[in-house]
Amino acid sequence: MLLLLACCTASCSNHKQKEALDRAEYLMEAHPDSALIILNEIEKSELGSKKEQARYALLMSMALDKNYIDTTAFDVLQPAIDYYLKKGTPDEKLRTYYYQGVIFLNKRDRDNALNSFAKGIHIANESEDSLTIARLLVAQGGLYYEFYEFDNYIKLYLKAADIYNGLSLKDSELDCLLNALNGSILLENQHQCDSILNLLTKFNMLNLTQRHRIQRQQLSYALKFGSEDEIRDLIHIQEENISSQNDILNLALAYTQTGNYEKANSALDYVITSGQPYDTIRYLSISIPALEGAWVLQRSFG
């Protein structure tokens, strides 16, 4: 009788844990905060099988990441690594590689992060989890940007944009296209820039932040390929839309290219005195022609 009661208790407990895990997974994308609360209420000691422990580990890692709780330790994800990478489905392996890479990124271990993401991409064709595939592409593309491999950066972001388009995730698609446009401008690939700008014209339900991001890229495009008149038309918009040191450097370059060296040097002085981090190489590449232009102009009125 006692044995039967113990079996029933264990069975009820396992069913309760499974329901909680199912509920957390269901809420993960739209309500990750609620998913985290549910997972924190689960008694890990009551998770019976290694498969159940792996599922909990992966879901907890997902919840922490989605709630912007960066972890640099593998203690949470390790049961998923141990089980899923050997016995998991392609979807489970894909997600595990992705969150393994995320932890490496949090540790600033870019080489191992890239290796984890590459392993995930290697099995992507076997997986049906398009959303995680897109996230893997974005994460891998971001690393390529840091390594100055802009061709790969662009390629991966465009692939991710296409997946997000198929999933009707317009905000994520827009973000990927803007990143790909940034890379194309850096490589001075006008044809590819024009192609991406054409894709951006289909986005008509934009919030203020998104409109500003597009306008910044339009100015960057004009600085590479546009005329002085086109740059002047965009300067006023950028002046009212400054949110970073890079925006100010863009303005300084725009002022320089349109001959307004006084404003260019004022903008550059602000970058130096603000105390905020900035791209020193880009600063120097702009400040030299700005100072030279001001000096030549001063001499001409000498």
Side-chain angles (χ1 to χ4, degrees), residues 41-291:
E41 291 175 349
I42 292 176
E43 288 290 339
K44 288 193 288 183
S45 59
E46 295 180 6
L47 296 169
S49 67
K50 291 189 179 299
K51 183 176 182 179
E52 196 172 49
Q53 292 167 13
R55 188 183 181 199
Y56 172 86
L58 182 55
L59 288 173
M60 178 57 84
S61 297
M62 294 169 70
L64 291 171
D65 181 63
K66 292 179 185 300
N67 282 284
Y68 306 102
I69 301 171
D70 294 339
T71 178
T72 57
F74 283 97
D75 52 338
V76 173
L77 184 62
Q78 196 62 51
I81 294 172
D82 294 340
Y83 184 85
Y84 284 145
L85 296 188
K86 294 178 181 177
K87 301 180 180 180
T89 66
D91 285 356
E92 290 163 345
K93 289 179 181 178
L94 183 78
R95 292 167 190 160
T96 302
Y97 277 129
Y98 173 69
Y99 286 101
Q100 183 184 53
V102 167
I103 294 172
F104 279 126
L105 273 184
N106 293 340
K107 290 163 64 72
R108 300 186 183 278
D109 186 347
R110 291 172 174 80
D111 289 336
N112 275 318
L114 189 61
N115 185 49
S116 294
F117 295 143
K119 288 179 178 178
I121 293 298
H122 183 69
I123 61 169
N125 289 338
E126 305 169 39
S127 173
E128 296 179 357
D129 187 354
S130 298
L131 188 55
T132 300
I133 293 171
R135 287 170 175 158
L136 266 167
L137 292 168
V138 166
Q140 195 175 20
L143 283 170
Y144 280 130
Y145 180 86
E146 293 186 23
F147 296 148
Y148 298 96
E149 295 185 28
F150 297 131
D151 281 320
N152 285 326
Y153 161 62
I154 296 164
K155 180 175 68 175
L156 292 176
Y157 269 94
L158 287 176
K159 283 185 178 179
D162 190 52
I163 293 173
Y164 284 130
N165 175 261
L167 296 171
S168 297
L169 295 173
K170 307 306 290 182
D171 290 350
S172 297
E173 181 190 2
L174 177 67
D175 181 73
C176 288
L177 289 174
L178 286 172
N179 274 279
L181 177 58
N182 177 55
S184 301
I185 292 170
L186 288 171
L187 291 181
E188 300 186 12
N189 187 336
Q190 186 173 7
H191 176 73
Q192 191 165 55
C193 287
D194 291 340
S195 176
I196 296 171
L197 284 168
N198 184 56
L199 290 174
L200 290 171
T201 61
K202 69 181 180 180
F203 292 88
N204 49 23
M205 299 292 289
L206 299 172
N207 60 40
L208 185 61
T209 299
Q210 290 169 333
R211 287 201 301 272
H212 285 172
R213 288 187 66 195
I214 291 175
Q215 288 162 355
R216 289 188 197 108
Q217 292 297 346
Q218 287 173 331
L219 177 58
S220 295
Y221 174 91
L223 289 169
K224 286 286 186 183
F225 310 113
S227 65
E228 282 192 21
D229 287 341
E230 289 171 324
I231 294 170
R232 286 192 183 93
D233 289 341
L234 290 163
I235 282 177
H236 178 66
I237 296 172
Q238 184 68 78
E239 285 174 334
E240 297 180 348
N241 174 29
I242 296 173
S243 63
S244 69
Q245 297 289 68
N246 191 53
D247 291 342
I248 301 172
L249 288 174
N250 254 8
L251 268 178
L253 180 57
Y255 292 139
T256 300
Q257 290 192 9
T258 54
N260 194 336
Y261 301 113
E262 182 179 353
K263 276 196 170 184
N265 285 297
S266 294
L268 291 166
D269 288 343
Y270 178 83
V271 169
I272 286 287
T273 59
S274 68
Q276 299 298 314
Y278 63 93
D279 185 334
T280 53
I281 294 176
R282 188 154 190 262
Y283 172 87
L284 289 171
S285 71
I286 297 168
S287 63
I288 292 170
L291 288 169

